[in-house]
């Protein structure tokens, strides 16, 4: 079997890990042994938090929609039910953006949601 000399590849691999560890505290940035362990953990955290960011943003949008809906006399779930029944196909991200940037437009959406809820409530009562 041919002999494999690893010096170049090994140095390149270690340099890559140390480059990724730039900015870490203490020996984690300069010692390959500690840098390798921290970089592995960091990559796990990054993967996990890319998933968590989606959940965090969704909850932020829900909080913003709830605040704006309550200012218009509706709870979050009643507002979302009314929006669905009114046939408004905006997602939570768009609704939250409207709630923050254009309160008058959100008030118009809330009125349409209330009307849709009122129409359905009247049909159920009959």
């Amino acid at each position: 079997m041919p002999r494999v000399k690893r010096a170049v590849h090994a140095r390149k691999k270690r340099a890559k890990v140390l480059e990724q560890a730039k900015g870490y505290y203490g020996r984690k940035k300069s010692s390959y042994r500690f840098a390798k362990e921290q970089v592995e953990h960091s990559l796990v955290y990054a993967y996990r938090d890319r998933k968590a960011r989606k959940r965090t943003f969704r909850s932020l949008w829900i909080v913003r929609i709830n605040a704006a809906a309550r200012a218009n006399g509706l709870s979050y779930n009643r507002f979302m039910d009314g929006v669905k029944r009114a046939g408004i196909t905006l997602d939570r991200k768009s609704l939250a953006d409207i709630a923050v940037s254009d309160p008058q437009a959100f008030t118009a959406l809330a009125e349409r949601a209330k009307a849709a809820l009122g129409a359905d409530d009247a049909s159920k009562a009959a």
Side-chain angles (χ1 to χ4, degrees):
M1 203 186 301
R3 178 174 165 218
V4 177
K5 297 172 72 178
R6 289 190 34 87
V8 174
H9 181 68
R11 220 175 7 255
K12 189 174 165 187
K13 185 180 78 167
R14 290 185 196 120
K16 180 182 174 188
V17 169
L18 289 170
E19 179 66 29
Q20 288 177 304
K22 256 191 177 160
Y24 290 171
Y25 182 80
R27 283 203 289 174
K28 291 177 187 177
K29 70 173 166 241
S30 55
S31 171
Y32 174 71
R33 176 186 291 182
F34 297 110
K36 180 179 168 211
E37 188 174 324
Q38 187 58 53
V39 165
E40 283 177 6
H41 278 125
S42 298
L43 292 172
V44 169
Y45 299 148
Y47 178 80
R48 178 197 69 193
D49 292 338
R50 279 195 298 275
K51 310 299 174 203
R53 183 184 338 155
K54 294 164 181 62
R55 295 191 292 269
T56 305
F57 269 108
R58 184 180 171 94
S59 66
L60 172 68
W61 299 331
I62 289 171
V63 166
R64 288 178 173 174
I65 293 168
N66 188 24
R70 287 186 184 276
N72 287 291
L74 287 168
S75 65
Y76 169 77
N77 64 333
R78 293 289 288 161
F79 172 76
M80 291 306 288
D81 187 30
V83 163
K84 187 176 178 183
R85 290 181 189 200
I88 300 167
T89 57
L90 291 172
D91 59 0
R92 284 167 181 80
K93 181 179 180 179
S94 304
L95 288 169
D97 186 47
I98 292 169
V100 171
S101 62
D102 193 0
Q104 291 86 6
F106 192 87
T107 300
L109 288 171
E111 293 304 321
R112 284 185 56 192
K114 277 184 193 175
L117 286 171
D120 280 356
D121 289 344
S123 66
K124 283 181 185 174

